[in-house]
Every structure is written in C-alpha cells, then in structure tokens.
Amino acid sequence: MAAHGQSTVAAILVAAGSGLRLHAPVPKAFVEVDGRTLLDRAAQAFTDHADIGPVVVVAPASHVAEARRLTGSCVVSGGATRQASDAAGLPAAPADAEFVIVHDVARPFVPPEVIHAVVAALRDGADAVVPVLPMNDTVRRVGADGALAGVVDRSQLVRVQTPQGFRRTVLVEAHRCGVGTEATDDAALVEALGVEVVAVSGDEEAFKITTPWDVACAEALAKVIRSAATPIPLGGEPKR
Ligand code: C5P
C-alpha cells in the first residue's frame, strides 16, 4: 500500500487473452510455469508492491471465478482485444485512484524496480509512462512482396514493455476517444490525444510470454529465482 498521504495507484492486470500462439489447452494467464500460473505470479508482483493499491484483474469470461480464487482481487470479464479488456478493467479501478498502471499478465516476471520506476515518474508529474529497452538486433523493413527493403536505424527505436502508467483521467479519456481504433498498448491511445509519453528503463525479465520458446525461458528463469530464494540450512549447502 502507498505511504500515508500519497495518492492511490491502482493496477489493472490484463489477463483475458487466449494465447493462441502458445497452443495451450487453457488461456495463457492460466498456464503454469514451475508450478504457478502466470496470473498468480503477475498478481503477486503487484499485490506485494509497496507502491500499489487496489488491483483489478481482467480475465476471460470463462475464468473469472478461477482468477478470483487465484488472486483474491477484484476480477472483471475481458473483451475480444487487449484494448477492450483494458477498457473493461478501467471502471473497476477506484475513482479516487489518481494513477492507474496497466500490466500484461503475460509478463509475470516484471521486477519490482520497474514498477517503482513507473510509479515514481507519475508522482514526478508525468501523465503517461512506459518502460523501454534498446533494440539489440539489426532491424529491416520488408516490402509488400516480402523482399527485404533496407535497414532501419535502430538507435531511434526501443522495445516497449509494461507496466504502463497513466494519470487515471488521461487514460479514461484516451479510451473514450479511442473507441473504434485498435491499439496494441495504452500508451499509443494516450499519445493520440497529444499527451507526452515518458520513458523509464525496462528490464529483460519483464519479457512477454508469447510462444512455447518463451515458456521454456520462463521455466528456466522461475527455477533460478526459486533456488535463489531457497534458504541454505544451518550446517551448509543443501544436499543435492
Ligand atoms: O496477446 P498478447 O500476449 O499480446 O496480450 C498481451 C496481454 O493482453 C496479455 O496479458 C493478455 O492476456 C492480454 N489480453 C487481454 N484481452 C485480450 C487480448 C489480450 O486481456 N482480448
């Protein structure tokens, strides 16, 4: 919970995607990594965070009860697109929350430092904040015929992650004006209003789980995190 006297920051966790590219038998948020669902992991990152107040989860209609059981949070049913799911979550964020941060549950390993950096930038006066990372690969344009059509200057590009933070009134207005458009994130909707979007440092651990390869990486990362958190018993290293 936020320190006494500080304005409230609500979190909306969008978890209503089907995860088609994962070929899993359950919606992506309910896929398990090292024994815990993505939703359980992402929700804990926010409910345990000192900067975050109320948490709203947006789940597939078929999994609302399961999401409530897993998180103990307010859960609403999502829409056909990420934008629609986020719009469904917004009214459930308390009206007295000055800021709202929106996070993809598909990024369950977001470090607490990234959440803090987003909230700190909002408290410093930004209306919209996104975590970003540099491009590491060479990037090329592809023509309509599929042929490669030149290298793009990657020094002018970044990869955008979540959580993305907003003054709540700005995000509400962006969604009101954005009806009928389809944006892949909230910052794009807000930017369309002419609002400046501020960047903070993202983190590779906040990567988005999209494909079976990402799940394999997530399994490895989860095991590293779990073994780092396992206390070494008095008397030496644990037996293998
Ligand atoms: O599909 P993708 O991985 O890009 O989705 C990003 C996030 O948006 C995921 O956490 C997913 O659950 C969520 N989402 C949603 N409702 C949709 C589509 C995606 O809540 N209809």
Side-chain angles (χ1 to χ4, degrees):
M1 220 27 96
H4 183 65
Q6 286 200 311
S7 48
T8 302
V9 183
I12 298 176
L13 309 183
V14 284
S18 57
L20 284 180
R21 287 165 289 186
L22 214 48
H23 312 297
V26 290
K28 182 160 64 177
F30 299 86
V31 167
E32 288 190 6
V33 165
D34 196 30
R36 289 178 62 197
T37 61
L38 304 192
L39 175 58
D40 179 22
R41 290 177 179 277
Q44 192 183 6
F46 286 83
T47 52
D48 282 2
H49 202 290
D51 291 335
I52 303 297
V55 171
V56 175
V57 174
V58 186
S62 56
H63 284 67
V64 166
E66 174 70 354
R68 272 194 199 116
R69 190 190 65 73
L70 273 174
T71 65
S73 296
C74 166
V75 180
V76 299
S77 175
T81 62
R82 185 191 185 281
Q83 186 174 327
S85 292
D86 193 14
L90 255 179
D96 66 352
E98 185 174 358
F99 305 114
V100 172
I101 73 175
V102 182
H103 184 65
D104 293 338
V105 162
R107 302 176 186 272
F109 296 102
V110 57
E113 293 81 5
V114 176
I115 299 173
H116 178 72
V118 171
V119 173
L122 289 170
R123 293 201 190 285
D124 273 357
D127 284 330
V129 184
V130 296
V132 302
L133 287 175
M135 295 292 301
N136 299 328
D137 294 319
T138 297
V139 181
R140 278 183 171 269
R141 249 179 237 102
V142 182
D145 58 357
L148 295 181
V151 173
V152 179
D153 178 4
R154 71 180 175 193
S155 68
Q156 295 187 4
L157 300 175
V158 287
R159 293 176 284 149
V160 179
Q161 301 185 309
T162 73
Q164 302 187 349
F166 306 92
R167 184 168 294 282
R168 193 180 63 82
T169 49
V170 169
L171 188 58
V172 169
E173 180 63 1
H175 274 274
R176 196 183 65 75
C177 295
V179 172
T181 63
E182 204 44 65
T184 53
D185 72 359
D186 300 271
L189 283 179
V190 164
E191 206 165 37
L193 291 182
V195 173
E196 184 192 357
V197 179
V198 170
V200 296
S201 289
D203 192 296
E204 295 292 355
E205 287 192 11
F207 72 104
K208 190 168 75 165
I209 296 175
T210 304
T211 63
W213 165 259
D214 299 326
V215 174
C217 295
E219 288 282 356
L221 178 57
K223 287 189 175 71
V224 169
I225 292 170
R226 180 159 52 81
S227 63
T230 306
I232 295 173
L234 289 176
E237 295 281 338
K239 287 203 177 73
R240 299 200 177 270

